């Protein structure tokens, strides 16, 4: 060989020539394709390396979870592929059927098989998505509009603003800043120009997680610095002056006054320490303040535990209640998150968030009546779908073989035709501790899918499909053989309505939130963005927009739900007057859509009625944890946009005599209502067709019924 000088060089040259590889290889140009339904003549390309005479087949991979159907949704024009010595690429015709059916974005998988004389280079599979062009997001009817008038930041140097409460007497708002350990008090007499009055250091009492206010009394939930120990509720007046404090259960995380103002309830989460060596029981504390906060003692506090249900652990788990840490008792595992109280102050419903369950409490006896599971949402069911991946550069709202636990955070309650309902914001929340971390992904090598139940496992585990979807490793291995027979995720990217009496779901918003935020050009650039940055689809792999809080309002005899979205931001408004058939009303989002600014990280949300607001308008206030701001929406009520079908036909309420110079005020119907003075102070509860007003002074009063009617009453003796 010319140029070879010695045996060593010859050996090196021989090794070099030996390693040439002339094997014919073929691969998909991409393993992930997205076509619009209108692209009726699409194509898929395959690339060939070192072409020679060879053949293989391309076929639609069989599997029960393909959502696009051959012939109905698409057609493949070739099944046997022949490669000759000059073929460097092959093009496969894909006929897409443009129908007029509103569907989720559909997908199927192509597979390369039966190769002869050729090697498959990389994955044999390619996922093909067809983006539907018929399914439209719900259109806002705008019978009510969320009009942003102001965003208030209590402290430019630091504020986390998780919870906000409003006092109609002082016209002040009260805001928690947990990281800073303080309670901020601001003047809300001019909603367009809110001003800070005072900040109260809560660290001297403990931490701060929640605040409530009623009849001029402010209550603050204050966990112990050691969260596994009992916490406190600290009472102040509206000037922030300390009155009293009492001890409640471990980690009081949410606090609420009963509608009659006689009780304060706390949801004591009872979270474990990092290694689970200490796991306090979850509980609910009921504080009786009917004799006045100044007279409050520890004897006025009843802390309700769940220990009576420890003996029912197997029954409750079999019914669908989640238990997460096997070494804890069931009552230790329960972690109360949020409380809603009936309008008559006799019942409370408590979300046991991570357990995906609700506890009903009888407030007349301070006992837990029942615990019931919320069930799961099947993402293969009609109308359900979600955007599953954060790295495929496409918004693809599709059905998947996944079930999700609702795992709500905020809840609210209302009554309709004698039936109690609860409304849930289905956030989702995982357990992440040193000795218990349920967070994993479908694509994780340790997350094995049952090959019989999930024959599409290889496709599902691709990062552009379900591979990066966050799921739980605590549920789904039903036969305990080490692989998962059902994929479960946490949080349903929706709000739901449950019949609290029959313990059944009557409505779920399905994929509304993602459809609305993806199709509205005002908000699509922050579709599923995280609350920590503006990257589109940053949270598609984990809970999507993440519904967090919910509040209800009754306006013109119609009931509305307002749901805050923790990640994407903003508030969704729905008319829920018919609990089984709510309608989308409006959405607004005040985060900056171009740069990371504005209001970010909605948590607490409240409604202010015109009879209690400073200027006679309806308001929605949202506390934003990350931006440290309070978003102030004035509700624009457009009665001309309201369908007459959504208005109940009973006669309007009348109070008489009015003006009233006597001791009794009468009504033309039995009502549940409250009476307020002109300063917004609650003075009477009304249950029936009359009320004793002998103790009222002369002046103007307002009666607000449980169905939202407002009457002005003049007392003139």
């Amino acid at each position: 060989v010319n140029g070879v000088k010695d045996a060593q060089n010859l050996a090196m040259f021989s090794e070099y020539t030996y390693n040439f590889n002339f094997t014919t290889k073929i691969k998909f140009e991409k393993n992930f394709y997205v076509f619009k339904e209108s692209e009726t003549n699409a194509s898929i390309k395959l690339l060939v390396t070192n072409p020679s005479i060879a053949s293989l087949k391309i076929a639609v991979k069989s599997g029960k979870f393909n959502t696009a159907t051959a012939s109905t949704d698409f057609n493949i024009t070739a099944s046997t592929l022949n490669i000759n010595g000059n073929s460097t690429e092959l093009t496969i015709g894909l006929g897409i059927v443009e129908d007029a059916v509103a569907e989720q974005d559909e997908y199927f998988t192509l597979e390369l098989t039966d190769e002869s004389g050729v090697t498959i280079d990389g994955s044999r599979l390619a996922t093909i998505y067809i983006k539907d062009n018929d399914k439209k997001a719900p259109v806002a009817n705008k019978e009510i509009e969320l009009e942003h008038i102001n965003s208030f930041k209590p402290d430019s140097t630091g504020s986390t603003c998780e919870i906000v409460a409003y006092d109609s007497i002082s016209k002040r708002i009260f805001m928690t800043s947990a990281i800073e350990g303080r309670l901020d008090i601001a003047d809300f007499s001019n909603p367009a120009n809110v001003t800070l009055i005072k900040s109260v250091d809560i660290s001297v009492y403990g931490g701060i997680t929640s605040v409530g206010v009623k009849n001029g009394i402010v209550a603050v939930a204050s966990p112990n610095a050691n969260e596994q120990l009992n916490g406190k509720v600290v009472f102040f007046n509206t000037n922030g002056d300390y009155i009293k404090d009492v001890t409640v259960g471990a980690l009081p995380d949410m606090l609420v006054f009963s509608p009659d103002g006689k009780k304060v309830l706390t949801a004591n989460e009872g979270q474990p320490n990092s290694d689970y060596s200490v796991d306090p029981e979850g509980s609910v504390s009921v504080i009786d303040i009917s004799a006045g906060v100044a007279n409050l003692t520890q004897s006025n506090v009843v802390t309700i535990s769940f220990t009576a249900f420890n003996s029912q652990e197997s029954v409750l788990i079999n019914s669908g209640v989640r238990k997460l840490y096997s070494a804890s008792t069931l009552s230790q595992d329960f972690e109360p998150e949020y409380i809603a109280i009936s309008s008559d102050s006799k019942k409370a419903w408590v979300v046991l968030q991570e357990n995906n369950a609700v506890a009903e409490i009888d407030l007349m006896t301070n006992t837990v009546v029942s615990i019931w599971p919320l069930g799961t949402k099947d993402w293969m069911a009609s109308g359900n779908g979600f955007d599953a991946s954060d790295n495929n550069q496409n918004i693809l709202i599709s059905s998947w073989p996944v079930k999700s636990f609702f795992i709500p955070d905020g809840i609210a309650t209302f009554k309709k035709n004698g039936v109690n309902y609860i409304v849930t914001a289905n956030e989702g929340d995982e357990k992440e501790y040193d000795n218990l971390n349920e967070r994993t992904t479908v694509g994780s090598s340790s997350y094995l899918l049952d090959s019989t139940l999930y024959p599409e496992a290889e496709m599902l585990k691709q990062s552009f499909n379900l591979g990066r979807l966050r799921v739980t490793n605590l549920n789904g291995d039903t036969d305990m053989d080490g692989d998962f027979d059902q994929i479960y995720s946490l949080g349903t990217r929706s709000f739901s309505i449950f019949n609290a009496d029959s313990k059944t779901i009557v409505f779920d918003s399905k994929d509304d939130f993602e459809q609305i935020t993806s199709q509205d050009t005002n908000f699509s650039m922050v579709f599923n963005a995280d609350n920590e940055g503006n990257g589109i689809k940053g949270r598609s792999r984990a809970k999507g927009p993440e519904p967090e809080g919910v509040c209800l309002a009754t306006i013109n005899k119609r009931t509305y739900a307002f749901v805050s979205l923790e990640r994407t931001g903003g508030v969704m408004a729905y008319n829920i007057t018919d609990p089984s058939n709510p309608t989308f009303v409006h959405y607004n989002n005040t985060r900056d859509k171009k740069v990371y600014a504005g209001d970010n990280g909605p948590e607490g949300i409240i409604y202010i009625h015109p009879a209690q607001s400073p200027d006679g308008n309806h308001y929605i206030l949202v506390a934003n944890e990350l931006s440290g701001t309070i978003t102030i929406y004035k509700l624009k009520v457009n009665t001309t946009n309201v369908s007459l079908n959504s208005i109940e036909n009973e006669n309007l309420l009348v109070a008489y005599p009015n003006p009233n110079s006597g001791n009794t005020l009468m009504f033309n119907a039995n009502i549940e209502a409250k009476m307020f003075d002109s300063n917004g102070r609650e003075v009477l509860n009304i249950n029936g067709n009359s009320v004793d007003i002998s103790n009222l002074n002369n002046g103007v009063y307002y009666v607000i019924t449980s169905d939202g009617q407002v009457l002005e009453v003049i007392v003139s003796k």
Side-chain angles (χ1 to χ4, degrees), residues 130-147:
I130 302 172
K131 282 185 66 69
D132 184 71
N133 56 10
D134 300 296
K135 183 163 185 175
K136 306 300 180 186
V139 177
N141 65 26
K142 295 188 178 180
E143 58 191 62
I144 285 178
E145 293 183 72
L146 293 147
E147 180 183 349

Side-chain angles (χ1 to χ4, degrees), residues 440-449 461 466-469 471:
T440 187
T441 63
V442 174
S444 170
S445 59
S446 62
Y447 192 82
L448 304 177
L449 291 172
K461 281 176 166 285
L466 291 188
R468 288 180 52 77
L469 181 70
V471 294

Side-chain angles (χ1 to χ4, degrees), residues 405-587:
F405 296 104
F406 289 91
I407 316 287
D409 189 326
I411 65 168
T413 183
F414 70 106
K415 200 168 188 177
K416 175 78 172 180
N417 297 329
V419 177
N420 292 298
Y421 294 93
I422 58 173
V423 184
T424 62
N426 305 319
E427 177 196 23
D429 198 13
E430 301 115 329
K431 288 268 196 178
E432 292 181 90
Y433 294 93
D434 294 345
N435 290 346
L436 177 68
N437 186 351
E438 68 173 312
R439 181 184 291 185
T440 187
T441 63
V442 174
S444 170
S445 59
S446 62
Y447 192 82
L448 304 177
L449 291 172
D450 183 277
S451 58
T452 301
L453 295 171
Y454 286 100
E456 305 86 348
E458 182 182 352
M459 181 274 284
L460 297 176
K461 281 176 166 285
Q462 296 293 333
S463 64
F464 42 77
N465 293 327
L466 291 188
R468 288 180 52 77
L469 181 70
R470 279 208 331 231
V471 294
T472 175
N473 57 27
L474 297 181
N475 302 95
D477 183 5
T478 56
D479 54 10
M480 304 300 293
D481 65 349
D483 59 31
F484 289 88
D485 310 291
Q486 176 62 58
I487 302 171
Y488 285 104
S489 67
L490 304 182
T492 59
R493 311 185 185 205
S494 62
F495 85 97
S496 302
I497 302 176
F498 291 84
N499 181 324
D501 298 334
S502 65
K503 303 174 178 57
T504 55
I505 189 168
V506 297
F507 171 80
D508 183 78
S509 62
K510 297 188 175 181
D511 63 1
D512 278 12
F513 292 171
E514 285 187 302
Q515 294 286 1
I516 291 165
T517 54
S518 67
Q519 294 186 36
D520 190 322
T521 55
N522 294 313
F523 311 111
S524 58
M525 65 280 288
V526 289
F527 170 79
N528 280 1
D530 201 348
N531 54 8
E532 297 179 344
N534 271 20
I536 187 171
K537 286 170 57 75
R539 295 290 298 191
S540 285
R541 66 188 293 253
K543 310 174 197 176
E546 200 165 324
E548 172 78 13
V550 60
C551 69
L552 306 184
T554 303
I555 302 170
N556 294 336
K557 301 181 72 174
R558 290 172 291 282
T559 305
Y560 295 91
F562 299 88
V563 182
S564 59
L565 305 182
E566 181 178 4
R567 299 294 174 171
T568 302
V571 175
M572 293 280 180
Y574 277 72
N575 182 331
I576 62 168
T577 305
D578 178 353
S580 62
N581 188 32
T583 54
F584 174 50
V585 173
H586 195 223
Y587 173 62

